[in-house]
């Protein structure tokens, strides 16, 4: 399982705190070449780990905006990695890049082995998209999907954001209808959060944005769950919906705490047991730090990741690693439910999962 971080964006979105750099156009080519050189060096230095991570053969290229990277540099990195064929090879793309680069770019991705595209649509409301400082509008998102499909993409995941205070129920329903009309196999929908250091955090500080009340966010989440169920999607993780058999293999493995190797600035790695490491966020040369998780950290992580999913956790594990009284109370009030030998958060309680997990931790 390999994650590769591409830390380039053409501009910053209002809500974002991911590690990324906006390079001036005249420096972009040089910066991308240097980045690819450094990635190849990191790959060389971590061949043993990459080899050991091949229990699950997935490659996920995220960012930043991987579709900002020139196809030549992307091909160089993926070919140098030489860890395929992959059970699932996902790349994140921006709709504007797909429209600008056109079908030839998408065909080159497929030729490289990409089997799944994850595209950040975020909204189908142009006013909301402008407020988010996204580069595309809804027409570009629709056009990008057409290009992807015509070029042969058969597994498409779209991202949406809800929980904005200016998002009315009607606008949210309209976005859901328009996105479903694009026929994705998978949809991820994240509640807007105010990340320290983002432009949005500054807007909140200056009083130009007021967070949506919890009830409004809950209403949007419930509308999302209802609409996705009606469209035949399985709600397999708090923020993720898939048509049967189209669940994300790579992301599902994170929630099961399987080992992965993260390459590139800001990327994290995990040995599947106790060893976690991360690269510093520095395009000019990233350094690796490592920590060994304590028993308590492993317990909390297992709890938080497992209860995010529809599978939940083995009941025997949860009983052995939680205090009896809060666990029984959560089961009795319906905040948790047991299905055969597993315990999960029922879908109608997903929205308050943080509170439930906090009670158990
Ligand atoms: S949301 Fe994506 S495209 Fe926007 S700034 Fe963050 S990483 Fe870049």
């Amino acid at each position: 399982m390999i994650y590769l971080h591409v830390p380039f964006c053409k501009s910053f979105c209002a809500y974002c705190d991911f590690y990324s750099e906006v390079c001036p156009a005249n420096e972009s080519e040089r910066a991308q070449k240097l980045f690819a050189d450094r990635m190849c060096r990191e790959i060389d230095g971590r061949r043993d780990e990459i080899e050991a991570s091949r229990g699950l053969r997935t490659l996920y290229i995220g960012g930043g905006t991987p579709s900002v990277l020139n196809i030549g540099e992307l091909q160089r990195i993926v070919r140098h990695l030489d860890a395929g064929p992959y059970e699932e090879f996902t790349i994140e793309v921006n709709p504007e890049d797909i429209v600008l680069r056109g079908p030839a770019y998408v065909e080159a991705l497929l030729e490289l082995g990409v089997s799944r595209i994850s595209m950040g649509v975020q909204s189908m409301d142009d006013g909301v998209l402008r407020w988010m400082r996204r580069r595309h509008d809804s027409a570009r998102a629709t056009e990008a999907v057409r290009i992807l499909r015509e070029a042969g993409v058969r597994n498409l995941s779209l991202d949406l954001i809800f929980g904005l205070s200016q998002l009315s129920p009607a606008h949210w329903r309209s976005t859901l209808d328009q996105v479903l009309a694009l026929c994705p196999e998978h949809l991820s929908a994240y509640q807007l959060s105010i990340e320290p250091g983002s432009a949005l955090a500054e807007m909140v500080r200056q009083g130009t944005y007021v967070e949506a009340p919890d009830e409004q966010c809950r209403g949007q989440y419930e509308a999302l769950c209802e609409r996705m169920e009606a469209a035949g999607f399985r709600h397999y993780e708090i923020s993720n919906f898939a048509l049967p058999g189209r669940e994300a293999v790579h992301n599902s493995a994170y929630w099961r705490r399987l080992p992965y190797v993260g390459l590139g600035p800001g990327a994290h790695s995990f040995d599947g047991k106790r060893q976690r490491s991360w690269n510093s966020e520095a395009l000019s040369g990233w350094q690796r730090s490592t920590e060994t998780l304590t028993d308590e950290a492993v317990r909390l992580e297992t709890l938080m990741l497992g209860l995010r999913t529809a599978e939940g956790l083995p009941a025997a594990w949860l009983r052995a690693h939680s205090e009896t009284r809060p666990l029984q109370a959560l089961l009795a009030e319906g905040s948790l439910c047991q299905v055969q030998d597993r315990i999960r958060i029922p879908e109608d309680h997903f929205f308050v999962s943080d509170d439930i997990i906090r009670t158990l931790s």
Side-chain angles (χ1 to χ4, degrees):
M1 231 182 120
I2 303 165
Y3 173 78
L4 215 144
H5 191 78
V6 178
F8 296 109
C9 286
K10 284 192 181 152
S11 57
F12 287 123
C13 305
Y15 50 82
C16 182
D17 75 332
F18 292 141
Y19 170 58
S20 195
E21 308 265 348
V22 175
C23 292
N26 59 343
E27 282 178 26
S28 167
E29 205 169 310
R30 188 175 153 273
Q32 293 195 7
K33 182 184 177 306
L34 281 173
F35 166 72
D37 290 346
R38 290 191 179 110
M39 284 299 270
C40 291
R41 274 205 297 280
E42 184 179 15
I43 289 165
D44 288 339
R46 298 180 67 185
R47 282 275 175 216
D48 289 352
E49 275 177 80
I50 291 167
E51 200 52 43
S53 78
R54 289 170 84 172
L56 185 64
R57 284 175 174 263
T58 61
L59 174 60
Y60 191 105
I61 304 185
T65 313
S67 52
V68 166
L69 190 62
N70 295 327
I71 188 70
E73 301 299 358
L74 183 72
Q75 287 166 332
R76 184 152 74 91
I77 296 167
V78 172
R79 286 178 184 148
H80 194 78
L81 185 59
D82 191 25
Y86 302 102
E87 185 181 334
E88 181 188 88
F89 176 174
T90 302
I91 186 166
E92 293 177 355
V93 302
N94 178 291
E96 186 72 8
D97 295 331
I98 295 300
V99 174
L100 290 176
R101 292 181 183 269
Y105 171 74
V106 183
E107 283 157 15
L109 292 180
L110 296 176
E111 206 180 290
L112 196 57
V114 168
S115 58
R116 183 171 179 271
I117 297 276
S118 173
M119 187 161 76
V121 170
Q122 316 310 6
S123 175
M124 292 299 276
D125 183 298
D126 290 342
V128 167
L129 287 168
R130 273 193 301 276
W131 178 85
M132 288 177 174
R133 304 185 190 171
R134 296 291 298 180
R135 282 191 280 139
H136 67 279
D137 60 15
S138 57
R140 297 294 244 192
T142 304
E143 174 65 359
V145 170
R146 188 191 64 73
I147 292 170
L148 291 168
R149 291 305 200 190
E150 284 186 13
V153 171
R154 297 284 166 263
N155 198 357
L156 175 63
S157 179
L158 302 178
D159 281 5
L160 289 179
I161 294 179
F162 68 96
L164 288 71
S165 50
Q166 69 271 43
L167 191 61
S168 69
H171 278 122
W172 179 230
R173 272 198 300 276
S174 165
T175 277
L176 290 172
D177 288 345
Q178 289 180 68
V179 160
L180 285 169
L182 298 175
C183 302
E185 280 74 29
H186 188 279
L187 187 124
S188 303
Y190 300 100
Q191 184 175 333
L192 183 74
S193 58
I194 314 291
E195 302 298 340
S198 65
L200 187 56
E202 184 56 21
M203 287 156 71
V204 170
R205 198 187 65 76
Q206 292 178 357
T208 52
Y209 179 76
V210 178
E211 279 187 78
D214 247 16
E215 273 319 295
Q216 187 180 346
C217 299
R218 180 197 282 267
Q220 290 173 15
Y221 188 70
E222 286 172 358
L224 167 76
C225 297
E226 277 166 28
R227 191 66 190 82
M228 297 310 289
E229 187 184 357
F233 284 71
R234 182 171 168 258
H235 194 176
Y236 72 107
E237 195 264 353
I238 288 176
S239 307
N240 287 282
F241 302 80
L243 289 178
R246 298 308 189 108
E247 293 83 0
V249 178
H250 185 91
N251 290 352
S252 299
Y254 285 143
W255 304 321
R256 285 156 52 213
R257 297 186 76 249
L258 295 184
Y260 54 87
V261 175
L263 303 164
H268 288 232
S269 303
F270 179 52
D271 73 350
K273 298 177 191 108
R274 290 177 173 278
Q275 204 76 17
R276 195 169 279 293
S277 66
W278 60 94
N279 289 340
S280 56
E281 297 180 343
L283 192 53
S284 55
W286 46 96
Q287 306 297 324
R288 205 154 154 225
S289 306
T290 303
E291 70 170 343
T292 302
L293 301 177
T294 61
D295 285 348
E296 180 57 5
V298 170
R299 184 185 81 87
L300 287 177
E301 205 175 85
T302 308
L303 202 62
M304 280 189 270
L305 294 172
L307 288 181
R308 289 186 65 88
T309 66
E311 263 68 50
L313 286 165
W317 184 92
L318 199 53
R319 291 187 203 283
H321 291 86
S322 312
E323 284 184 31
T324 308
R325 196 173 289 179
L327 179 59
Q328 290 307 337
L330 290 168
L331 283 162
E333 72 187 26
S335 296
L336 289 173
C337 63
Q338 181 153 0
V339 184
Q340 294 170 349
D341 59 349
R342 301 187 73 89
I343 292 179
R344 63 161 292 185
I345 298 177
E347 187 189 27
D348 60 2
H349 282 69
F350 263 165
F351 186 75
V352 289
S353 60
D354 286 350
D355 297 337
I356 296 169
I357 292 168
R358 211 172 298 123
T359 305
L360 289 171
S361 44

